[in-house]
Amino acid sequence: MSDKAAKIKEMIAMQKKFMEYEHKHGVDAKDYFAPDAGHELAGYRDKYADLAKAVVDIAHGEAGSHR
């Protein structure tokens, strides 16, 4: 599996986990944007954004383009 595919697979797994959490508990803005330490969503946004940026960078490299 390529690095890009692995990152996309991880992003999809994260999305599924987030949706499960949201359906069970609901998500308010504080929990999403500024969760307390130890909260299940702590670090989610940053990690997801980092993965998305890495996928974009890889795709640009494959296409021979840049941001």
Side-chain angles (χ1 to χ4, degrees):
M1 178 179 306
S2 72
D3 189 39
K4 181 175 80 172
K7 289 181 184 330
I8 291 170
K9 186 176 180 177
E10 186 175 357
M11 290 171 68
I12 291 169
M14 288 178 70
Q15 289 173 343
K16 287 179 181 180
K17 186 176 177 182
F18 178 88
M19 288 187 299
E20 289 172 8
Y21 180 87
E22 181 183 27
H23 290 162
K24 287 180 184 176
H25 308 285
V27 176
D28 62 29
K30 184 204 174 297
D31 290 340
Y32 184 73
F33 290 103
D36 295 328
H39 190 281
E40 194 168 340
L41 296 177
Y44 174 84
R45 285 182 54 239
D46 291 333
K47 182 175 182 179
Y48 193 87
D50 290 344
L51 286 168
K53 289 174 191 173
V55 169
V56 169
D57 290 341
I58 293 168
H60 276 294
E62 292 172 347
S65 60
H66 63 279
R67 292 195 219 209

PDB file of all heavy atoms in Angstrom, residues 44-65:
ATOM      1  N   TYR A  44      -7.859  15.342  17.483  1.00  0.00           N
ATOM      2  CA  TYR A  44      -8.485  14.843  16.255  1.00  0.00           C
ATOM      3  C   TYR A  44      -8.309  15.818  15.095  1.00  0.00           C
ATOM      4  O   TYR A  44      -7.839  15.428  14.024  1.00  0.00           O
ATOM      5  CB  TYR A  44      -9.979  14.566  16.490  1.00  0.00           C
ATOM      6  CG  TYR A  44     -10.723  14.174  15.230  1.00  0.00           C
ATOM      7  CD1 TYR A  44     -10.718  12.858  14.803  1.00  0.00           C
ATOM      8  CD2 TYR A  44     -11.394  15.122  14.467  1.00  0.00           C
ATOM      9  CE1 TYR A  44     -11.376  12.480  13.642  1.00  0.00           C
ATOM     10  CE2 TYR A  44     -12.049  14.761  13.303  1.00  0.00           C
ATOM     11  CZ  TYR A  44     -12.045  13.441  12.897  1.00  0.00           C
ATOM     12  OH  TYR A  44     -12.679  13.079  11.739  1.00  0.00           O
ATOM     13  N   ARG A  45      -8.699  17.063  15.298  1.00  0.00           N
ATOM     14  CA  ARG A  45      -8.635  18.043  14.211  1.00  0.00           C
ATOM     15  C   ARG A  45      -7.219  18.225  13.681  1.00  0.00           C
ATOM     16  O   ARG A  45      -7.005  18.255  12.466  1.00  0.00           O
ATOM     17  CB  ARG A  45      -9.180  19.403  14.664  1.00  0.00           C
ATOM     18  CG  ARG A  45     -10.687  19.449  14.776  1.00  0.00           C
ATOM     19  CD  ARG A  45     -11.212  20.833  15.172  1.00  0.00           C
ATOM     20  NE  ARG A  45     -10.728  21.861  14.287  1.00  0.00           N
ATOM     21  CZ  ARG A  45     -10.008  22.930  14.659  1.00  0.00           C
ATOM     22  NH1 ARG A  45      -9.694  23.111  15.919  1.00  0.00           N
ATOM     23  NH2 ARG A  45      -9.618  23.819  13.785  1.00  0.00           N
ATOM     24  N   ASP A  46      -6.263  18.345  14.581  1.00  0.00           N
ATOM     25  CA  ASP A  46      -4.875  18.558  14.151  1.00  0.00           C
ATOM     26  C   ASP A  46      -4.343  17.341  13.389  1.00  0.00           C
ATOM     27  O   ASP A  46      -3.710  17.492  12.345  1.00  0.00           O
ATOM     28  CB  ASP A  46      -3.972  18.853  15.352  1.00  0.00           C
ATOM     29  CG  ASP A  46      -4.275  20.199  15.983  1.00  0.00           C
ATOM     30  OD1 ASP A  46      -4.766  21.102  15.272  1.00  0.00           O
ATOM     31  OD2 ASP A  46      -4.015  20.342  17.190  1.00  0.00           O
ATOM     32  N   LYS A  47      -4.588  16.151  13.904  1.00  0.00           N
ATOM     33  CA  LYS A  47      -4.095  14.951  13.244  1.00  0.00           C
ATOM     34  C   LYS A  47      -4.742  14.787  11.871  1.00  0.00           C
ATOM     35  O   LYS A  47      -4.070  14.474  10.887  1.00  0.00           O
ATOM     36  CB  LYS A  47      -4.359  13.716  14.103  1.00  0.00           C
ATOM     37  CG  LYS A  47      -3.827  12.451  13.479  1.00  0.00           C
ATOM     38  CD  LYS A  47      -3.980  11.259  14.397  1.00  0.00           C
ATOM     39  CE  LYS A  47      -3.371  10.030  13.727  1.00  0.00           C
ATOM     40  NZ  LYS A  47      -3.463   8.853  14.577  1.00  0.00           N
ATOM     41  N   TYR A  48      -6.054  15.027  11.793  1.00  0.00           N
ATOM     42  CA  TYR A  48      -6.754  14.890  10.516  1.00  0.00           C
ATOM     43  C   TYR A  48      -6.240  15.916   9.510  1.00  0.00           C
ATOM     44  O   TYR A  48      -5.989  15.583   8.345  1.00  0.00           O
ATOM     45  CB  TYR A  48      -8.265  15.030  10.715  1.00  0.00           C
ATOM     46  CG  TYR A  48      -9.039  14.587   9.503  1.00  0.00           C
ATOM     47  CD1 TYR A  48      -9.398  13.254   9.344  1.00  0.00           C
ATOM     48  CD2 TYR A  48      -9.388  15.484   8.504  1.00  0.00           C
ATOM     49  CE1 TYR A  48     -10.087  12.834   8.218  1.00  0.00           C
ATOM     50  CE2 TYR A  48     -10.063  15.070   7.373  1.00  0.00           C
ATOM     51  CZ  TYR A  48     -10.415  13.741   7.249  1.00  0.00           C
ATOM     52  OH  TYR A  48     -11.085  13.325   6.122  1.00  0.00           O
ATOM     53  N   ALA A  49      -6.049  17.146   9.960  1.00  0.00           N
ATOM     54  CA  ALA A  49      -5.532  18.197   9.075  1.00  0.00           C
ATOM     55  C   ALA A  49      -4.125  17.853   8.588  1.00  0.00           C
ATOM     56  O   ALA A  49      -3.805  18.056   7.406  1.00  0.00           O
ATOM     57  CB  ALA A  49      -5.542  19.545   9.789  1.00  0.00           C
ATOM     58  N   ASP A  50      -3.298  17.337   9.470  1.00  0.00           N
ATOM     59  CA  ASP A  50      -1.940  16.939   9.073  1.00  0.00           C
ATOM     60  C   ASP A  50      -1.964  15.838   8.018  1.00  0.00           C
ATOM     61  O   ASP A  50      -1.212  15.882   7.037  1.00  0.00           O
ATOM     62  CB  ASP A  50      -1.128  16.475  10.284  1.00  0.00           C
ATOM     63  CG  ASP A  50      -0.771  17.604  11.237  1.00  0.00           C
ATOM     64  OD1 ASP A  50      -0.872  18.785  10.836  1.00  0.00           O
ATOM     65  OD2 ASP A  50      -0.394  17.300  12.385  1.00  0.00           O
ATOM     66  N   LEU A  51      -2.837  14.852   8.209  1.00  0.00           N
ATOM     67  CA  LEU A  51      -2.960  13.776   7.225  1.00  0.00           C
ATOM     68  C   LEU A  51      -3.456  14.319   5.888  1.00  0.00           C
ATOM     69  O   LEU A  51      -2.931  13.957   4.830  1.00  0.00           O
ATOM     70  CB  LEU A  51      -3.912  12.691   7.735  1.00  0.00           C
ATOM     71  CG  LEU A  51      -3.389  11.787   8.839  1.00  0.00           C
ATOM     72  CD1 LEU A  51      -4.528  10.965   9.441  1.00  0.00           C
ATOM     73  CD2 LEU A  51      -2.298  10.873   8.304  1.00  0.00           C
ATOM     74  N   ALA A  52      -4.459  15.193   5.931  1.00  0.00           N
ATOM     75  CA  ALA A  52      -5.007  15.756   4.698  1.00  0.00           C
ATOM     76  C   ALA A  52      -3.952  16.561   3.946  1.00  0.00           C
ATOM     77  O   ALA A  52      -3.836  16.451   2.714  1.00  0.00           O
ATOM     78  CB  ALA A  52      -6.221  16.626   5.013  1.00  0.00           C
ATOM     79  N   LYS A  53      -3.183  17.359   4.671  1.00  0.00           N
ATOM     80  CA  LYS A  53      -2.119  18.138   4.026  1.00  0.00           C
ATOM     81  C   LYS A  53      -1.068  17.221   3.409  1.00  0.00           C
ATOM     82  O   LYS A  53      -0.580  17.479   2.310  1.00  0.00           O
ATOM     83  CB  LYS A  53      -1.468  19.083   5.038  1.00  0.00           C
ATOM     84  CG  LYS A  53      -2.358  20.225   5.457  1.00  0.00           C
ATOM     85  CD  LYS A  53      -1.710  21.043   6.568  1.00  0.00           C
ATOM     86  CE  LYS A  53      -2.696  22.009   7.173  1.00  0.00           C
ATOM     87  NZ  LYS A  53      -2.166  22.691   8.341  1.00  0.00           N
ATOM     88  N   ALA A  54      -0.728  16.148   4.093  1.00  0.00           N
ATOM     89  CA  ALA A  54       0.258  15.210   3.565  1.00  0.00           C
ATOM     90  C   ALA A  54      -0.250  14.548   2.289  1.00  0.00           C
ATOM     91  O   ALA A  54       0.503  14.385   1.324  1.00  0.00           O
ATOM     92  CB  ALA A  54       0.594  14.156   4.622  1.00  0.00           C
ATOM     93  N   VAL A  55      -1.532  14.186   2.261  1.00  0.00           N
ATOM     94  CA  VAL A  55      -2.113  13.583   1.065  1.00  0.00           C
ATOM     95  C   VAL A  55      -2.076  14.569  -0.095  1.00  0.00           C
ATOM     96  O   VAL A  55      -1.725  14.205  -1.223  1.00  0.00           O
ATOM     97  CB  VAL A  55      -3.549  13.088   1.335  1.00  0.00           C
ATOM     98  CG1 VAL A  55      -4.265  12.713   0.039  1.00  0.00           C
ATOM     99  CG2 VAL A  55      -3.535  11.902   2.288  1.00  0.00           C
ATOM    100  N   VAL A  56      -2.399  15.822   0.172  1.00  0.00           N
ATOM    101  CA  VAL A  56      -2.346  16.848  -0.877  1.00  0.00           C
ATOM    102  C   VAL A  56      -0.922  17.005  -1.391  1.00  0.00           C
ATOM    103  O   VAL A  56      -0.694  17.076  -2.608  1.00  0.00           O
ATOM    104  CB  VAL A  56      -2.904  18.191  -0.358  1.00  0.00           C
ATOM    105  CG1 VAL A  56      -2.602  19.328  -1.325  1.00  0.00           C
ATOM    106  CG2 VAL A  56      -4.398  18.098  -0.125  1.00  0.00           C
ATOM    107  N   ASP A  57       0.039  17.048  -0.482  1.00  0.00           N
ATOM    108  CA  ASP A  57       1.442  17.188  -0.902  1.00  0.00           C
ATOM    109  C   ASP A  57       1.885  16.000  -1.763  1.00  0.00           C
ATOM    110  O   ASP A  57       2.564  16.182  -2.771  1.00  0.00           O
ATOM    111  CB  ASP A  57       2.361  17.328   0.310  1.00  0.00           C
ATOM    112  CG  ASP A  57       2.191  18.654   1.028  1.00  0.00           C
ATOM    113  OD1 ASP A  57       1.652  19.608   0.418  1.00  0.00           O
ATOM    114  OD2 ASP A  57       2.610  18.745   2.203  1.00  0.00           O
ATOM    115  N   ILE A  58       1.497  14.796  -1.368  1.00  0.00           N
ATOM    116  CA  ILE A  58       1.842  13.605  -2.145  1.00  0.00           C
ATOM    117  C   ILE A  58       1.190  13.678  -3.528  1.00  0.00           C
ATOM    118  O   ILE A  58       1.838  13.406  -4.547  1.00  0.00           O
ATOM    119  CB  ILE A  58       1.430  12.322  -1.403  1.00  0.00           C
ATOM    120  CG1 ILE A  58       2.258  12.135  -0.142  1.00  0.00           C
ATOM    121  CG2 ILE A  58       1.555  11.097  -2.318  1.00  0.00           C
ATOM    122  CD1 ILE A  58       1.734  11.064   0.804  1.00  0.00           C
ATOM    123  N   ALA A  59      -0.073  14.063  -3.569  1.00  0.00           N
ATOM    124  CA  ALA A  59      -0.771  14.149  -4.845  1.00  0.00           C
ATOM    125  C   ALA A  59      -0.121  15.191  -5.762  1.00  0.00           C
ATOM    126  O   ALA A  59       0.003  14.964  -6.964  1.00  0.00           O
ATOM    127  CB  ALA A  59      -2.254  14.476  -4.614  1.00  0.00           C
ATOM    128  N   HIS A  60       0.290  16.315  -5.199  1.00  0.00           N
ATOM    129  CA  HIS A  60       0.974  17.314  -6.004  1.00  0.00           C
ATOM    130  C   HIS A  60       2.294  16.755  -6.542  1.00  0.00           C
ATOM    131  O   HIS A  60       2.653  16.992  -7.701  1.00  0.00           O
ATOM    132  CB  HIS A  60       1.254  18.583  -5.195  1.00  0.00           C
ATOM    133  CG  HIS A  60       0.102  19.526  -5.161  1.00  0.00           C
ATOM    134  ND1 HIS A  60      -0.375  20.181  -6.272  1.00  0.00           N
ATOM    135  CD2 HIS A  60      -0.672  19.947  -4.135  1.00  0.00           C
ATOM    136  CE1 HIS A  60      -1.396  20.947  -5.943  1.00  0.00           C
ATOM    137  NE2 HIS A  60      -1.606  20.821  -4.638  1.00  0.00           N
ATOM    138  N   GLY A  61       3.005  16.007  -5.716  1.00  0.00           N
ATOM    139  CA  GLY A  61       4.251  15.394  -6.158  1.00  0.00           C
ATOM    140  C   GLY A  61       4.025  14.413  -7.304  1.00  0.00           C
ATOM    141  O   GLY A  61       4.793  14.370  -8.262  1.00  0.00           O
ATOM    142  N   GLU A  62       2.949  13.638  -7.200  1.00  0.00           N
ATOM    143  CA  GLU A  62       2.625  12.688  -8.258  1.00  0.00           C
ATOM    144  C   GLU A  62       2.265  13.393  -9.562  1.00  0.00           C
ATOM    145  O   GLU A  62       2.581  12.910 -10.649  1.00  0.00           O
ATOM    146  CB  GLU A  62       1.458  11.793  -7.832  1.00  0.00           C
ATOM    147  CG  GLU A  62       1.790  10.851  -6.709  1.00  0.00           C
ATOM    148  CD  GLU A  62       0.581  10.114  -6.177  1.00  0.00           C
ATOM    149  OE1 GLU A  62      -0.573  10.482  -6.501  1.00  0.00           O
ATOM    150  OE2 GLU A  62       0.782   9.177  -5.399  1.00  0.00           O
ATOM    151  N   ALA A  63       1.610  14.537  -9.437  1.00  0.00           N
ATOM    152  CA  ALA A  63       1.170  15.274 -10.616  1.00  0.00           C
ATOM    153  C   ALA A  63       2.250  16.210 -11.154  1.00  0.00           C
ATOM    154  O   ALA A  63       2.094  16.801 -12.225  1.00  0.00           O
ATOM    155  CB  ALA A  63      -0.084  16.079 -10.299  1.00  0.00           C
ATOM    156  N   GLY A  64       3.315  16.390 -10.379  1.00  0.00           N
ATOM    157  CA  GLY A  64       4.371  17.307 -10.793  1.00  0.00           C
ATOM    158  C   GLY A  64       3.976  18.763 -10.635  1.00  0.00           C
ATOM    159  O   GLY A  64       4.527  19.645 -11.271  1.00  0.00           O
ATOM    160  N   SER A  65       3.020  19.010  -9.748  1.00  0.00           N
ATOM    161  CA  SER A  65       2.591  20.383  -9.476  1.00  0.00           C
ATOM    162  C   SER A  65       2.965  20.760  -8.041  1.00  0.00           C
ATOM    163  O   SER A  65       3.613  19.992  -7.342  1.00  0.00           O
ATOM    164  CB  SER A  65       1.080  20.509  -9.676  1.00  0.00           C
ATOM    165  OG  SER A  65       0.384  19.639  -8.795  1.00  0.00           O
TER     166      SER A  65
END
